[in-house]
Amino acid sequence: MGILEPGITKVEDYLGIDNLYESTNTPLISFLNNSIRAKALFKKDKDYVVIKGEVLIVDEHTGRILQGRRYNEGIHQAIEAKEGVEVKAENQTLATVTLQNFFRLYSKLAGMTGTAATEAAEFMATYKLGVIPIPTNKPMVRKDQSDLIYKNEEVKFNMVVEDIVERHGKGQPVLVGTTSVEKSEYLSVLLAKRGIRHEVLNAKNNAREASIIAMAGRFGSVTVATNMAGRGTDIMLGGNAEFLTVEALAKKGLSSEESPEEYETAWAAEFEKIKQEVAVEAEKVLSVGGLYVLGTERHESRRIDNQLRGRSGRQGDVGESRFYLSLTDDLMRLFNSGAASALMNRSGVPDDTAIESKVVSRAIASAQSQVEGRNAEIRKNVLKYDDVLNRQREAIYGDRRRVLEGDEIATRIDQFLEDTITYLVESTLATKEDVSASLKTLWTDLKAVYPISLEIDEVLAEAGSVSRLTANFLSKEIISDAKIAYRKRSESIGEQGMRELERRVVLSVIDRKWRDHLYEMDYLKEGIGLRAMAQRDPLVEYQREGFVMFQQMMGSIREEVITYLFNVEVSVNQSPVDQIRPQANLSYSAPGAPKEDSEPAIERAPLNRAAARKQAQAKKSGKPEKGSSFFKG
């Protein structure tokens, strides 16, 4: 999706700029593209809802609000601007993991669901889990009627209303499943015009979910819902006896919190009474056909449709289900509906005439299967890319865990120091031919890392001549000087204080650099697909460049840790508490550093018995914990 030349001209005139694609206007291009996406691709009351001045994402599969979730890369801010609400700052990714790799962290996996059979192949490929069908407790006697297909959505919804009115007239409870908040509200308006009393359950009304579901199986009830009611809900015929008992006691002024003793005393008698009433009403509901589930559109996934059907005919009860479709539905556009369209567009065919055929239903199921296959391939591809990041994640998190559990890292800090200085020496001497200029540049870089006490003339005198001044010789001299400076630094702070400073600095730097690395890896993945145009495998390129970026990040962490350890301002307050918790009185700050780095990254995690036992087991088994090269001996 992009903008055409006339659009670019219009934007430039509106903003009063000469060239939108000048380097100074680069941020504007991102804002423009996000604005177009927010307007054209993200629909209110389908992809998101606006509640109390806040844009909230709606899960397309469950119909529920995803609390705390926001779109990234500026899309959420563009939607907020579109809806005229407060534009909030963009979230920064602190950690990321796919659901597949999250579940793989567990040593044992098991699950239970009523709709896993259609995804059995993916369960085996991803988790090496087989799917075993278990027979139902009682035979399923629900009638799953064939789909009805109409010309357009308006006619379809009119016929849905007629069906509901007929069922409601004889007292049969009806559960209507819609695909979005917008369509549930549209159908609610149509029912209100016909005088049908009903309840609406969607992302805007989720606070009353329990009460609506409890009453959905009562005689004559009509419930219009999104996918919220299509999974994980048990609609009891005649009503939920427990909920009705709570409601009845509340009307008598009894509360489990304010008068618990009276409430408990009255509960048994009231519950038994209502239980009998519910049983009578359940028989009445069964006599008119049980719960009728009416779907207003097929979902891309057969699992979602099966979940909606599964609300009816539970535990051997009678029930019925049917889906109403139109040629303008999303799935029907994906499915080659040319034959059906040609048949229905013939002259003389009334608008309210429907196609009802098992052949069409099977063809739709085939289209769903194809879409599911495409979505499974997308998930598989996402997992391949995340596996690259997952190996890096295991290394970094392994390092953090060892620091948090109290491992000794002083020897590793020495290695950091040597690696940092060796890298600076080799990279500086390799880039310039003029040795004098190279040494001046090197000393400037070293002074930014630690307070070097050596002078260039002293090093030259020690070497004897410029020709004997090799990178190896220079590294040894500077490393020796740096270790002396580090010992002095440790003595001024104190041994215990220095160990605590090392731990906090390492944690803080790793966390910040890892956040930046996640952002860079996301940016890399976004454009890596273009490598296919050069006859290169994008996944292989992503692996290769991701590894290079990870190595660069690790080198940057080493250098920054050493720089902070030498340059942060440290104060140790002496008090009797120091003997018990010395780390509580230690703080540090660095001029020009971000605010988050000037504060303790995390309180010291004592080496407790669980951690000690874990380390003992690792030593006994001889298997090192996963981690990067930071903490490998």
Side-chain angles (χ1 to χ4, degrees), residues 156-351:
K156 178 186 74 173
F157 275 109
N158 288 337
M159 300 312 295
V160 165
V161 171
E162 292 299 328
D163 194 2
I164 294 171
V165 170
E166 180 184 343
R167 305 276 179 170
H168 180 68
K170 63 178 184 178
Q172 185 175 13
V174 181
L175 173 65
V176 186
T178 61
T179 55
S180 68
V181 175
E182 179 185 21
K183 289 179 180 177
S184 68
E185 292 180 341
Y186 173 69
L187 183 57
S188 175
V189 171
L190 295 181
L191 289 173
K193 288 180 180 177
R194 296 295 298 270
I196 302 296
R197 188 175 179 181
H198 61 282
E199 290 280 5
V200 179
L201 176 59
N202 56 35
K204 292 182 178 180
N205 197 24
N206 60 346
R208 294 187 55 241
E209 179 180 2
S211 61
I212 293 173
I213 292 298
M215 309 296 276
R218 301 201 70 178
F219 188 80
S221 67
V222 176
T223 307
V224 179
T226 56
N227 291 337
M228 287 177 67
R231 54 187 291 175
T233 55
D234 187 12
I235 298 176
M236 300 180 182
L237 301 185
N240 187 314
E242 289 188 9
F243 182 86
L244 293 172
T245 302
V246 172
E247 196 176 59
L249 292 176
K251 289 179 180 178
K252 295 180 179 180
L254 296 177
S255 169
S256 59
E257 295 180 358
E258 296 177 3
S259 52
E261 293 182 2
E262 295 178 23
Y263 187 87
E264 287 295 328
T265 304
W267 172 270
E270 190 68 29
F271 179 70
E272 192 61 34
K273 174 188 169 187
I274 290 180
K275 193 176 177 182
Q276 292 175 5
E277 293 174 358
V278 166
V280 172
E281 189 168 338
E283 289 297 325
K284 195 175 176 183
V285 169
L286 289 170
S287 67
V288 293
L291 179 66
Y292 177 53
V293 171
L294 191 157
T296 59
E297 191 172 331
R298 286 277 196 168
H299 199 275
E300 283 186 353
S301 171
R302 287 170 294 172
R303 292 186 66 242
I304 306 298
D305 292 342
N306 292 340
Q307 286 167 353
L308 180 61
R309 288 190 193 272
R311 299 316 97 198
S312 176
R314 299 168 76 84
Q315 290 296 319
D317 291 339
V318 295
E320 189 177 348
S321 71
R322 186 190 286 277
F323 279 85
Y324 280 71
L325 312 177
S326 76
L327 295 176
T328 57
D329 290 346
D330 293 337
L331 189 70
M332 292 299 289
R333 287 201 298 266
L334 290 171
F335 160 60
N336 184 15
S337 58
S341 179
L343 180 64
M344 297 188 72
N345 288 328
R346 289 178 181 173
S347 58
V349 177
D351 286 348

Side-chain angles (χ1 to χ4, degrees), residues 417-418 421 450 453-454 473-487:
L417 185 61
E418 293 177 11
I421 291 174
Y450 86 100
S453 60
L454 286 174
F473 171 81
L474 195 56
S475 296
K476 286 182 179 179
E477 291 295 319
I478 297 173
I479 287 171
S480 177
D481 179 65
K483 287 187 175 180
I484 292 171
Y486 196 74
R487 280 199 296 271

